[in-house]
């Protein structure tokens, strides 16, 4: 297999379980990643030991997931999830099994897992157990449901998002029947909570292939959040790859594309339906607005924009403008930021208190600060306390 091997603390958990006569295997994403030669984000173990038996074996455990058979074993500063072999009962809501039962055998546990590549088990010593041909699918770069795809998506509609997310992350194709079932069962996605959908979309946005969202939209997985289709945002979604791999610019870029193609009424509406936080909603809304206008041409225009929208939104809009409209705004904005020139009353060399001392109050004071800001935006070298105070005195006298 690959050169990636489990760390000592993981081996320790496996060996402890095994030495007490239980079966224990590495399973799921970590095995898939090891085969791919990638370091796993987390290590999952499945075992024949019941949750209480796992707890007895390790001095430090957490039991938040115990209802689903998961005990988190803590070793030094590490956490390993140990889950009892399980099979899921029937699914009432396309998301959660009504019951889970602990079963004695590994194959039943593997058969409840979503994709063949995620249904491979690796014992601490001995041969890998791969009843669904996951290794071959990984070798060929294919995402395939374990069992019948339509039924598996009926059980849990989130799996449709997971399939496309893994496709984007790993650069794998989705096997034909699995993909056809996503198109067929997409309406079930409407029953998923917005938070789960949001998290999946964000994970897709942060891969090297955010254009997977075209398939997500085309299949109808986002119908609950989109207006009836008009334009097709195909080529523009590819442009999201040119954005930094950060949530804010990628959400903003997505909103701009969807809005331009009439798929959403506004960024605010779309993002609030998906339960994004207020800051992201505001920033993306402002970005979309800015992208509809001509970008600044002079440093002063950039400073005005920075003053009005703040650094985060201005940066986000500049990055989106570069990626989606082939401009070179971000470099211009960075140059302005790097100059250290003042673009906000907070950076003026005088404060409101200074102006109070000179007798200014209320509206007059606010107007004076804005006047000074305009002035130093034109003459950045004059953002000096004495000079500005003199200017205020002069204006007051005249
Ligand atoms: P990642 O690297 O993103 O964590 P992962 O494959 O480890 O990928 P997890 O969400 O951590 O994904 O789940 C761990 C394992 O649990 C999966 O590999 C899969 O075997 C199983 N699994 C997770 N979610 C589902 C689901 N919705 N339906 C069926 N099996 C699932
Ligand atoms: Mg995982």
């Amino acid at each position: 297999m690959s050169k990636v091997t489990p760390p000592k603390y993981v081996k320790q958990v496996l060996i402890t379980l095994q030495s007490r006569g239980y079966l224990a295997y590495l399973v799921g994403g970590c095995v898939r990643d090891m085969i791919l030669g990638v370091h796993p984000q987390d290590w999952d173990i499945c075992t024949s030991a019941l949750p209480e038996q796992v707890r007895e074996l390790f001095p430090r455990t957490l039991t938040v997931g115990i209802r689903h058979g998961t005990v988190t074993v803590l070793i030094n500063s590490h956490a390993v999830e140990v889950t009892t072999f399980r099979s899921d009962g029937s699914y009432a809501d396309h998301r959660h099994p009504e019951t889970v039962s602990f079963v004695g055998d590994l194959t039943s546990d593997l058969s409840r897992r979503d994709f063949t590549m995620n249904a491979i088990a690796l014992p601490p010593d001995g041969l890998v157990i791969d009843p669904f041909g996951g290794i071959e699918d990984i070798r060929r770069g294919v995402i395939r449901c374990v069992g019948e795809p339509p039924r598996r998506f009926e059980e849990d509609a989130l799996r449709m998002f997971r399939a496309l997310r893994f496709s984007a992350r790993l650069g794998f194709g989705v096997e034909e029947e699995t993909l056809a079932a996503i198109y067929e069962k997409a309406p079930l996605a409407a029953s998923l909570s917005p938070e789960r959908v949001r998290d999946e979309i964000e994970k897709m946005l942060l891969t090297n292939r955010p254009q997977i969202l075209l398939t997500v939209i085309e299949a109808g997985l986002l119908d609950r959040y989109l207006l009836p289709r008009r334009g097709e945002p195909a080529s523009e979604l590819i442009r999201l790859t040119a954005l930094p791999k950060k949530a804010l610019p990628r959400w903003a870029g997505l909103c701009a594309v969807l809005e331009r193609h009439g798929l959403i009424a506004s960024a605010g509406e779309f993002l609030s339906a998906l339960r994004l936080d207020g800051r992201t909603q505001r920033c993306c809304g402002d970005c979309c607005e800015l992208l509809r206008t001509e970008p600044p041409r002079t440093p002063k225009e950039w400073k005005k924009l920075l003053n009005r929208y703040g650094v985060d939104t201005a940066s986000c809009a500049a990055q989106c403008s570069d990626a989606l409209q082939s401009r070179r705004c971000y470099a211009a904005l960075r140059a302005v930021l790097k100059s250290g020139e003042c673009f906000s009353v907070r950076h003026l060399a005088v404060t409101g208190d200074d102006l109070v001392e000179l007798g200014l109050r209320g509206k007059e004071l606010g107007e004076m600060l804005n006047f000074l800001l305009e002035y130093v935006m034109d003459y950045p070298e004059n953002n000096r306390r004495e000079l500005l105070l003199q200017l205020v005195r002069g204006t007051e006298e005249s």
Side-chain angles (χ1 to χ4, degrees), residues 103 116 163 220 261 340 368 379 381 389:
V103 292
T116 58
H261 289 272
M368 180 57 80
Y379 304 99
E381 66 282 6
L389 289 175

Side-chain angles (χ1 to χ4, degrees), residues 262-296:
L263 287 157
I264 59 174
S266 72
E269 216 174 277
F270 175 60
L271 298 179
S272 121
L274 280 171
R275 310 279 191 273
L276 276 111
D277 58 286
R279 176 174 168 259
T280 306
Q281 289 182 35
R282 267 191 311 281
C283 172
C284 293
D286 288 343
C287 273
C288 287
E289 186 184 303
L290 285 167
L291 288 170
R292 286 192 296 269
T293 62
E294 278 296 304

Side-chain angles (χ1 to χ4, degrees), residues 29-30 32 41-42 44:
C30 64
R32 177 198 70 223
Q41 291 168 0
D42 40 43
D44 293 323

Side-chain angles (χ1 to χ4, degrees), residues 96-134:
H96 301 103
E98 282 172 288
T99 54
V100 302
S101 42
F102 301 134
V103 292
D105 75 303
L106 173 69
T107 312
S108 318
D109 183 87
L110 293 178
S111 67
R112 76 168 167 91
R113 294 175 182 270
D114 47 8
F115 308 113
T116 58
M117 63 175 186
N118 289 343
I120 309 170
L122 187 64
D125 40 40
L127 288 178
V128 60
I129 297 162
D130 176 23
F132 306 106

Side-chain angles (χ1 to χ4, degrees), residues 50-59 61-63 66 71:
L50 291 169
E52 282 309 321
Q53 295 169 325
V54 176
R55 283 183 70 193
E56 280 165 19
L57 287 182
F58 300 96
T61 56
L62 301 174
T63 54
I66 202 154
V71 173

Side-chain angles (χ1 to χ4, degrees), residues 7 24 40 65 136 149 166 176 184 244 258 262-263 269 349 370 373 388 392:
E136 177 62 9
F166 284 125
E176 204 177 317
E184 182 195 332
L258 296 181
L263 287 157
E269 216 174 277
N370 284 331
L373 180 61
L388 295 184
V392 176

